[in-house]
Amino acid sequence: MKTMVSGIKPTGQLHLGNYLGALKNFVTYQDDYHMIAFIANLHCITVYQDPKELQTYLKDCIALYLACGLDPDKATIFLQTDVLEHAQLGFILNCNTYLGELNRMTQYKDKVAKNEINLTGGIYTYPTLMAADILMYDADYVPVGDDQKQHVELTRDVAIRFNNRYGETFKVPEPIIPKTGARIMSLSDPSKKMSKSDESNKGCIYLLDDLKIVHKKIMSAVTDDKAQVKYDVHNQPGIANLMTIYASLTGKTMSEIEKEFEGQLYGNFKKAVSAVVCDELAMIQEKYRNIVESNIMDEVLLKGKQFASKKAQEKLDLVQKKIGIEIR
Ligand code: TYM
């Protein structure tokens, strides 16, 4: 069985972009692959987080993994900090990555371009920690949204370089980007990605949002004056984004959606989008409440930790022997 590895960093509540670009696909893949889905909590602290809030987000994230359908009997689910080897392999890979490569990472470059102050060393080097997360488990595939593709490509380059230097050690993974939903845009500004750090809060649908608020956010999504439901990312980005959300949740193609809403007002289309989103979130939220009450999260994380730790110890041991820092 081929292995997939992916993670989410809960620096805020998980949102519809995380769900459609990543989490929903993990659930689909767990039947045919060994899906290793972890919570990337070390990645959270590359930017300062309020410790109390972070704890809440972490717990919610674990519960949401399960509520969205990840099954601990099929998938391996664990907390990154429960497996200490990630940080150590991260440092080793850091030493096998060039500054020029890190300088080219879009997320870092964007922050520099925006003159963000007090950027940390963590934000600069986190792609090598991400490489460690992936290479640790001999992943064949890494299912991620579009914005993470560059990091998986860096992971591949680092793995190839390491293998050339020290002999075959890492499997070279491939990114898997969903055909629909790889880049869900903000509802209030469809030129920007839907993101946890959305300041206005209107453009982002959180998985735990009250459904009335979800409806409101969708009904007030920015569209255009063309009055036609047509998939045209360039000229009608707001409508294209709503179509993408609708397509991801219904499985319909863009031309089927265009036909379904031909001659109809945007209001009708938005109501239909809201209905499918609210149905999906209602299901997730109900399961989330049951999971939080049932207290099964510790048990799930312990099981995941036991499996991941064993694999990680073996891999780190091999790596350290190869590079010559072990004396036994
Ligand atoms: P993160 O936490 O920013 O995002 C988690 C996943 O959600 C996807 N995503 C989106 N997909 C579609 N539309 C959007 N608007 C949207 N926003 C986010 C992301 O592409 C990602 O798949 N560094 C990673 C976490 C990570 C990781 C890993 C992923 C750490 N180690 C190893 C894979 C493998 C991150 O910050 O993702």
Side-chain angles (χ1 to χ4, degrees), residues 125-319:
T125 57
Y126 97 78
T128 55
L129 178 61
M130 178 160 163
D133 300 335
I134 297 167
L135 299 179
M136 189 77 90
Y137 301 101
D138 291 322
D140 296 281
Y141 302 111
V142 186
V144 280
D146 189 52
D147 62 335
Q148 295 298 321
K149 191 168 170 225
Q150 192 189 31
H151 294 148
V152 183
E153 277 157 6
L154 176 72
T155 301
R156 289 171 57 84
D157 291 345
V158 172
I160 292 168
R161 176 175 312 133
F162 193 101
N163 289 346
N164 286 339
R165 276 187 181 157
Y166 299 107
E168 207 56 32
T169 310
F170 296 122
K171 195 170 255 183
V172 181
E174 276 176 44
I176 303 255
I177 314 290
K179 283 203 184 74
T180 310
R183 196 175 192 82
I184 301 296
M185 309 310 278
S186 159
L187 299 181
S188 53
D189 179 355
S191 69
K192 289 196 186 130
K193 193 181 75 161
M194 185 178 282
S195 138
K196 292 166 207 140
S197 51
D198 178 359
E199 272 146 29
S200 78
N201 213 3
K202 288 184 192 146
C204 184
I205 295 180
Y206 298 99
L207 299 184
L208 296 176
D209 263 350
D210 184 290
L211 297 183
K212 283 197 194 99
I213 292 178
V214 173
H215 182 70
K216 232 183 181 170
K217 285 181 182 173
I218 294 176
M219 293 311 288
S220 47
V222 167
T223 51
D224 53 66
D225 56 8
K226 301 216 173 346
Q228 52 174 3
V229 177
K230 187 162 179 278
Y231 190 72
D232 181 346
V233 178
H234 191 62
N235 295 309
Q236 297 186 250
I239 286 293
N241 189 39
L242 290 173
M243 289 177 77
T244 302
I245 293 171
Y246 192 68
S248 301
L249 291 172
T250 58
K252 291 179 184 170
T253 63
M254 294 306 173
S255 56
E256 282 168 345
I257 299 171
E258 285 173 359
K259 268 203 199 105
E260 185 177 348
F261 295 98
E262 204 176 325
Q264 293 200 43
L265 298 172
Y266 283 167
N268 281 350
F269 173 53
K270 284 179 168 177
K271 273 188 203 149
V273 176
S274 169
V276 290
V277 173
C278 288
D279 278 356
E280 188 88 359
L281 295 193
M283 241 163 19
I284 292 172
Q285 291 179 8
E286 196 191 334
K287 284 199 209 147
Y288 164 86
R289 284 188 289 270
N290 293 338
I291 285 157
V292 172
E293 271 168 30
S294 72
N295 243 335
I296 58 164
M297 290 186 301
D298 285 345
E299 197 185 305
V300 169
L301 291 183
L302 182 64
K303 187 176 172 202
K305 173 190 172 171
Q306 282 164 348
F307 178 88
S309 291
K310 189 167 172 293
K311 278 270 195 206
Q313 279 159 16
E314 284 166 12
K315 184 56 100 185
L316 189 63
D317 193 42
L318 172 71
V319 168

Side-chain angles (χ1 to χ4, degrees), residues 75-93:
T76 298
I77 303 165
F78 70 96
L79 201 57
Q80 188 182 30
T81 46
D82 276 346
V83 184
L84 300 181
E85 286 77 5
H86 283 239
Q88 190 149 331
L89 183 59
F91 184 76
I92 293 171
L93 296 181

